Amino acid sequence: MSAAVADAPVAGEDLVVVYHKRRNVELVMTLFAAGMGIASYLLVEMNLFNTLPTNWPVVAGIWLAIAVIAHLAIRFRVPYADPLILPCVILLNGLGLAMIHRIDKIPDPVRTDATNQLVWTGLALVLFVTALIVVRDHRPLQGYTYTLCAAGLLLLLMPLLPGIGKEVYGSRIWIGIGPFSFQPSEVAKIVLAVGFASYLVEKKDVLALAGARFLGIDLPRPRDLGPILLMWLASLAVLVFQKDLGTSLLFFGLFVMMLYVATERPSWAILGVLLFSAGAYAGYLLFGHVQTRVSGWLDPFSDFDRNNQIINAQFGLAWGGLVGRGWGLGRPGLTTFAKSDFIAGAIGEELGMAGLMAVIMVYALIVARGLRTALAAKEPFGKLLAAGLSFVFALQVFAIIGGVTRLLPLTGLTTPFMSQGGSSLVANWVLAALLLIISHQARKPIAQVSADPLAGQAYGDAETTQVIHGAHRVGRRGA
């Protein structure tokens, strides 16, 4: 993790940190992560039927092929990308597939949702590779500020359009075209993160200007409140008309966080919390679906029929205990939507609290590597975009797992890479691709040019950088 220097620098010399590519390390960890998914799938079959399925070599081969193709795309397109993100993605995706397959095996009826999820994983891989090939460098995206912001808001509010908007289980967050349905908010979180980053890089100096001072805090100028009020109104529209507390929290929280990071003004974060709290409280007073979520959080046993989902999940976690019942040995099917909204509860029942905490730590590792990428990025747009993508990912994980464990009201968001559903899976693979692209640009060597025009021309290879004049030393940094 620390930089190593070939020769100790002396006075007047500069230190240039050069990262190793670490692709072989990534390959080993990716194969290990894929093996964990295959082992989970086989344990389900052994514990349920005391035998292995006849097609298990085909399933294992497909999953290994997906992992290897993703690795090769990184190796040849973004060779300096972070080596830990892909193994974490493969591990989470594999565990999610194994758990969906396990719930498929619960009789009455026997379903094949795991096969559908594997197909969606293949599509996500195609878009992941496409993003690495087409984008490769994130910086040109900064030129589409208002187009991306408008497209993101349109995607966010698209389920409200008559004809294509669909209401499913009380929430209007889907669009339907023929037999296909899609959740546009999953794509909107990426589009809006890019648009917000571009906008805030351009406007951060203006938004950082201080207005009145109150209790030692410099408040924003009233004339600068337009963007945050616009996003607040958009989040309220999602809460009121789409009846989706989770998406409302996700997007308003994303904007406020990126605004705080861009301006370094605590007053923006405080104002954002106050605005969302006021909107959420007004929603609680005015709308029954918000009251239902809060009631299920504070007192689920007050209405067993309405809150049986969260109640069964709590019983499942309690029955799983510390080490769990084992793959295929619990009863996660008793919880409604165990494959999607409550897959974290199913993991906690069969792998125990230890297994659920391990999964949370894998999510935390992805967030940590994303924030590390933000710190390493060499330009403001990359820093802000990597921080925004990492935060929206972390907030989504926190909101859904917090809802399942009753730390928070249930939000209805998906558990990234694990929950059943193609929209979430595809969007999060693309999000991972963007983080890898930014990390590649942040970690790759940069040719150094001397300030002295008589010193000559810089030269170097893929691994080292040297300047004739000034004798720059090259440091080596690991993952």
Side-chain angles (χ1 to χ4, degrees):
M1 291 294 182
S2 61
V5 184
D7 298 302
V10 296
E13 293 185 342
D14 296 328
L15 177 65
V16 179
V17 177
V18 178
Y19 291 87
H20 292 292
K21 293 180 179 178
R22 300 297 188 189
R23 298 279 66 87
N24 292 332
V25 173
E26 179 190 75
L27 176 60
V28 172
M29 292 190 297
T30 299
L31 293 176
F32 175 77
M36 291 284 288
I38 294 170
S40 301
Y41 162 69
L42 297 179
L43 280 172
V44 168
E45 294 288 331
M46 288 295 295
N47 286 334
L48 287 176
F49 308 113
N50 293 319
T51 185
L52 296 178
T54 56
N55 67 335
W56 78 265
V58 176
V59 175
I62 292 173
W63 186 236
L64 285 173
I66 288 174
V68 172
I69 291 171
H71 164 75
L72 292 176
I74 295 172
R75 178 180 287 270
F76 291 111
R77 295 302 297 175
V78 285
Y80 284 94
D82 190 285
L84 297 182
I85 292 177
L86 178 64
C88 293
V89 169
I90 292 293
L91 178 58
L92 293 170
N93 202 161
L95 291 177
L97 282 167
M99 181 53 69
I100 295 170
H101 170 72
R102 182 268 173 276
I103 300 172
D104 278 345
K105 295 300 179 181
I106 298 174
D108 193 26
V110 176
R111 299 178 62 88
T112 58
D113 289 330
T115 302
N116 296 334
Q117 188 77 350
L118 185 60
V119 172
W120 277 111
T121 303
L123 177 59
L125 174 66
V126 171
L127 294 178
F128 173 84
V129 174
T130 301
L132 296 182
I133 294 173
V134 174
V135 181
R136 195 174 188 183
D137 190 345
H138 62 282
R139 288 171 291 185
L141 297 174
Q142 190 175 352
Y144 302 94
T145 304
Y146 297 102
T147 301
L148 290 170
C149 287
L153 289 174
L154 178 62
L155 285 168
L156 185 61
L157 301 176
M158 189 177 289
L160 298 179
L161 296 176
I164 61 173
K166 294 175 59 178
E167 183 169 324
V168 180
Y169 298 107
S171 295
R172 194 179 178 87
I173 57 176
W174 297 87
I175 59 173
I177 301 176
F180 300 100
S181 59
F182 190 75
Q183 193 171 345
S185 60
E186 291 290 343
V187 179
K189 72 182 180 185
I190 300 175
V191 176
L192 284 175
V194 180
F196 290 163
S198 180
Y199 173 80
L200 292 172
V201 166
E202 180 183 345
K203 302 293 185 181
K204 65 178 182 179
D205 293 335
V206 174
L207 295 173
L209 295 176
R213 190 172 182 84
F214 179 72
L215 297 178
I217 299 174
D218 292 323
L219 300 177
R221 299 183 305 174
R223 72 183 72 173
D224 298 328
L225 296 178
I228 195 170
L229 291 177
L230 177 63
M231 285 307 303
W232 183 61
L233 292 174
S235 68
L236 286 181
V238 172
L239 177 64
V240 173
F241 298 110
Q242 296 185 12
K243 301 179 182 179
D244 188 2
L245 177 64
T247 301
S248 175
L249 168 65
L250 193 67
F251 288 97
F252 188 67
L254 169 66
F255 182 75
V256 171
M257 171 270 169
M258 295 183 72
L259 184 57
Y260 168 68
V261 171
T263 63
E264 300 181 7
R265 292 285 186 186
S267 55
W268 284 114
I270 295 171
L271 180 61
V273 171
L274 292 176
L275 284 173
F276 185 82
S277 299
Y281 182 68
Y284 173 77
L285 295 178
L286 298 174
F287 304 108
H289 62 277
V290 179
Q291 296 173 7
T292 299
R293 293 293 176 88
V294 174
S295 173
W297 170 44
L298 297 177
D299 187 13
F301 289 97
S302 62
D303 190 336
F304 182 85
D305 292 333
R306 178 175 290 179
N307 300 322
N308 70 86
Q309 187 181 33
I310 186 68
I311 292 172
N312 286 334
Q314 298 297 298
F315 280 136
L317 289 171
W319 193 41
L322 181 62
V323 295
R325 311 305 301 180
W327 280 106
L329 301 179
R331 302 187 68 186
L334 294 177
T335 303
T336 312
F337 304 121
K339 300 176 186 178
S340 52
D341 293 9
F342 277 79
I343 197 167
I347 290 288
E349 181 176 343
E350 300 211 332
L351 301 186
M353 290 305 298
L356 182 58
M357 286 302 301
V359 168
I360 293 173
M361 289 305 298
V362 176
Y363 282 120
L365 186 58
I366 295 177
V367 175
R369 301 307 290 193
L371 294 177
R372 181 185 175 93
T373 295
L375 291 173
K378 302 177 180 69
E379 28 75 39
F381 177 65
K383 287 180 178 293
L384 198 53
L385 179 56
L389 292 173
S390 302
F391 178 81
V392 75
F393 184 85
L395 183 58
Q396 183 167 349
V397 173
F398 175 70
I400 184 58
I401 296 184
V404 170
T405 56
R406 279 188 61 212
L407 178 65
L408 302 170
L410 191 62
T411 58
L413 295 171
T414 58
T415 309
F417 299 114
M418 299 186 72
S419 290
Q420 176 193 359
S423 308
S424 173
L425 189 62
V426 169
N428 284 298
W429 270 84
V430 173
L431 184 150
L434 285 176
L435 285 178
L436 289 167
I437 290 167
I438 300 169
S439 68
H440 167 72
Q441 294 296 329
R443 292 161 56 93
K444 73 177 183 179
I446 298 179
Q448 303 291 320
V449 180
S450 172
D452 186 351
L454 302 178
Q457 187 175 9
Y459 65 94
D461 57 25
E463 289 289 342
T464 62
T465 306
Q466 184 178 8
V467 178
I468 297 175
H469 180 72
H472 289 234
R473 303 302 177 103
V474 178
R476 300 282 184 172
R477 177 166 290 183

